[in-house]
Amino acid sequence: VLLLRAKGEQVKLAVVGDGEEHVRLDLLAHELNLGDTVIFLGSVPNSEIPRYLAAADVFCRPSRSEGLGISFLEAMAAGVPVVATSVGGIADFLRDGENGLVCRVDDPGDCAAKIALLLGDPKLRHRLAAGGRATAAGYDWGTIAARTSAVFRTAMTRPTVRLLVATGIFPPDIGGPAGHATLLAHAFPPLGYAPRILTYADRMAPPGVRWVSRRRPKGLRHLVYFLRCLGLGRGASVVYALDAAGAGLPVTIAAILLQKPLVVRIVGDYAWEQGVSRFGVEEGIDEFQSRRYGGAVGLLRIVQRFIARRATRVVVPSIYLKRIVAGWGVPEDKIEVIANAVPIPERLPAKSEARRSLGLSARALIVISAGRFVPWKGFDLLIGIMPELRREHPELRLIIVGDGPDRARLEALAAGTAAVTFTGALPESDLLCYLAAADVFALNTGYEGLSHLLIEAMACGTPVLTTRAGGNEEAVEDGVEGRLVGYNDREGFCRALASLLADAGLRRKLGAVGRRAAERFAPAVMLGRLDRLFRAL
């Protein structure tokens, strides 16, 4: 409104609705001397909404997130031209210049320019209003009821898929397979599935989840797990293994004996990870693929490749990992690329809100990094470049979230550097709060199948700086959603991070694009592709 008034537009803003931000926004309007220009109408009955829309020249809501955006469709139905951001479900129906105008996320100048364009051009308002009414006609209750009825009829006639999900971990354990199994347990029954989940656990698993105690000796617990797979797998339509290691071998042998379709989810090279962490392997993952190894590493490699080759289908989260698995002798037509789902809460805190809740300074420049403390995550470099960057930005802080075998070494490396803080492992809600509070999320990693952390940071609207490693280039395009540099490229990392810290406008631009890009990894996308795969088998 301030920008429009500066352009000479005599406008009034009427805000219909209520919520926890009401008092803050009302105070802000008065602080900016807009008390007579911005009118807060509070909640009004649905039946009254058309009356307010009929009085409007433009409907605008510069949303950061929308499931669908029913208010925009209501405005279109009322013949009011709309200005909106192309986020969430809005992108499904809003076509810039045809039935409305699109403005950039978190860009008041662009939003004001689009409103001013409409206010100054009655013919454009009329054309967009007509386009909007035509769009809204496709969302009338008769059409929606007919489509919903068709979905119900299809669901009622679909055969139930009995799915055995074999995983090594399940909540309260933390990790990708645990989150994946939980999502299947909650989201698949409404799609016509009867999932049974089998896991290892330290103590009794949640109700409905079968489990084998980790307190049993190695070998014995794997045998018990195999026997449970045999029993549960007899009635299964499809067997789904969430790793090619602890759970993968017993369930693979059981599926072979039972002659059941087996889908194996592979999100990394377990033999390489264990080799680097425990057995002195120094090669990167790509070089590792062409080298010969004996001992424990060689055995892990044999087991992993046996599981992948015997699977009916292999699911990987990235094209990069498809190339890795194909190198194990698995035919490419057996490998399905289905990106990991990254569930994001509908409401994420704004940066200022996140900083207040975490006790972080509003004036500081904050870089967040996170992950398991293992050699290929490259936290050393980030710690090492902090003194150089702080010469230009004394208020700079690096916060590292996570835990792992390298923690003591990294803390010793950062000793005496007040700019570096370690939080330890955090619950998902706290991690997202830190990501939302950051100016930049930095990840110097030598390997990623497909990084959840990158996508979560993007969903928070935080610009990302990472490496051209693994599947990172499939989530981030350099200069579009974030910045990409080489792994352990000290000069490149320092230069790219310095440019982001110095340019708040660039950070906002990358963050806005990244937020939209993160929607590609919504759970519904992954669940739909898995559903089609399982039913085809």
Side-chain angles (χ1 to χ4, degrees):
V1 172
L2 281 173
L3 292 172
L4 287 168
R5 288 179 62 178
K7 292 174 182 287
E9 299 286 357
Q10 299 301 309
V11 296
K12 283 190 179 291
L13 171 64
V15 182
V16 177
D18 207 345
E20 59 190 43
E21 292 279 275
H22 188 162
V23 173
R24 185 183 70 81
L25 293 172
D26 199 1
L27 288 172
L28 178 62
H30 282 85
E31 288 173 5
L32 298 174
N33 296 316
L34 295 173
D36 295 331
T37 305
V38 180
I39 307 163
F40 291 95
L41 299 169
S43 294
V44 302
N46 284 343
S47 59
E48 293 292 305
I49 295 291
R51 189 164 65 89
Y52 287 98
L53 289 171
D57 295 295
V58 177
F59 178 88
C60 178
R61 192 170 72 204
S63 304
R64 290 172 169 168
S65 173
E66 289 288 351
L68 174 64
I70 191 68
S71 296
F72 297 96
L73 290 166
E74 289 174 338
M76 288 176 167
V80 182
V82 304
V83 174
T85 51
S86 186
V87 300
I90 298 174
D92 293 345
F93 60 79
L94 183 62
R95 296 180 296 280
D96 191 31
E98 295 181 24
N99 57 4
L101 295 180
V102 173
C103 66
R104 292 189 293 268
V105 177
D106 288 338
D107 190 334
D110 189 48
C111 184
K114 298 298 169 60
I115 294 173
L117 178 63
L118 284 172
L119 294 177
D121 190 340
K123 290 184 177 179
L124 177 61
R125 290 203 306 273
H126 179 77
R127 180 169 62 80
L128 295 182
R133 278 193 295 267
T135 298
Y139 290 84
D140 73 89
W141 278 115
T143 301
I144 298 301
R147 294 178 63 185
T148 304
S149 176
V151 171
F152 287 156
R153 284 196 299 271
T154 301
M156 292 168 65
T157 58
R158 293 178 98 194
T160 299
V161 177
R162 296 178 300 279
L163 183 69
L164 170 59
V165 180
T167 177
I169 57 175
F170 193 84
D173 300 322
I174 298 173
H180 191 78
T182 303
L183 181 60
L184 296 179
H186 290 98
F188 259 21
L191 299 178
Y193 283 75
R196 288 182 169 184
I197 295 174
L198 176 64
T199 186
Y200 296 103
D202 294 318
R203 56 185 65 86
M204 186 172 291
V209 176
R210 281 73 170 179
W211 63 289
V212 173
S213 175
R214 291 197 189 99
R215 297 178 181 178
R216 297 177 187 268
K218 279 186 178 181
L220 177 58
R221 69 171 176 260
H222 293 92
L223 175 61
V224 174
Y225 194 98
F226 162 71
L227 295 174
R228 297 297 302 273
C229 287
L230 279 178
L232 295 169
R234 293 183 195 280
S237 312
V238 178
V239 177
Y240 186 30
L242 300 191
D243 67 50
L249 184 59
V251 76
T252 296
I253 297 172
I256 291 170
L257 293 176
L258 295 170
Q259 297 185 327
K260 299 289 184 178
L262 171 67
V263 179
V264 177
R265 180 173 178 263
I266 296 177
V267 295
D269 188 328
Y270 183 75
W272 174 76
E273 292 175 9
Q274 291 297 304
V276 172
S277 299
R278 299 170 55 194
F279 302 117
V281 171
E282 297 181 352
E283 292 76 23
I285 185 171
D286 295 306
E287 186 181 352
F288 178 83
Q289 304 306 313
S290 59
R291 294 284 298 273
R292 291 182 178 274
Y293 297 88
V297 176
L299 180 60
L300 287 171
R301 175 182 270 179
I302 290 170
V303 170
Q304 183 173 253
R305 294 185 176 190
F306 168 77
I307 293 168
R309 290 170 181 173
R310 294 307 299 258
T312 313
R313 292 286 189 279
V314 174
V315 170
V316 294
S318 63
I319 297 171
Y320 170 79
L321 270 175
K322 179 175 182 176
R323 291 196 295 267
I324 294 284
V325 173
W328 300 349
V330 180
E332 289 198 18
D333 60 1
K334 283 179 53 174
I335 307 172
E336 301 275 349
V337 179
I338 301 178
N340 295 332
V342 183
I344 302 294
E346 188 170 328
R347 184 186 180 279
L348 289 164
K351 181 187 292 186
S352 57
E353 178 189 347
R355 292 198 176 190
R356 280 196 302 271
S357 68
L358 296 170
L360 298 174
S361 167
R363 298 175 60 187
L365 278 173
I366 295 176
V367 176
I368 300 288
S369 192
R372 182 163 167 75
F373 294 170
V374 289
W376 60 87
K377 291 296 184 182
F379 293 109
D380 309 54
L381 181 142
L382 293 175
I383 295 170
I385 64 176
M386 281 300 107
E388 181 177 343
L389 291 169
R390 277 172 61 84
R391 285 198 287 270
E392 288 294 324
H393 305 284
E395 70 280 25
L396 177 62
R397 290 186 58 192
L398 169 64
I399 299 176
I400 302 177
V401 180
D403 208 342
D406 260 6
R407 180 167 182 174
R409 185 183 66 80
L410 292 170
E411 288 182 335
L413 182 64
T417 306
V420 181
T421 303
F422 293 85
T423 69
L426 295 176
E428 184 70 11
S429 57
D430 290 350
L431 171 61
L432 288 171
C433 199
Y434 272 101
L435 292 174
D439 292 293
V440 178
F441 175 75
L443 188 66
N444 174 40
T445 177
Y447 161 70
E448 293 290 339
L450 186 70
S451 172
H452 278 213
L453 285 164
L454 284 179
I455 297 161
E456 287 173 332
M458 289 159 60
C460 292
T462 300
V464 299
L465 167 60
T466 189
T467 57
R468 297 183 180 87
N472 287 352
E473 290 183 277
E474 296 171 46
V476 180
E477 183 179 350
D478 187 32
V480 179
E481 295 95 352
R483 294 297 315 276
L484 295 173
V485 296
Y487 172 53
N488 274 341
D489 176 1
R490 180 187 177 93
E491 182 181 345
F493 226 100
C494 200
R495 186 169 56 248
L497 187 50
S499 69
L500 286 170
L501 295 174
D503 191 339
L506 176 60
R507 296 200 302 271
R508 283 194 298 271
K509 175 186 172 183
L510 296 178
V513 177
R515 186 186 288 115
R516 294 195 293 273
E519 295 168 7
R520 307 195 313 264
F521 303 95
V525 177
M526 183 198 74
L527 292 169
R529 296 197 62 192
L530 284 176
D531 177 36
R532 290 191 291 274
L533 171 61
F534 293 150
R535 290 189 179 278
L537 294 178

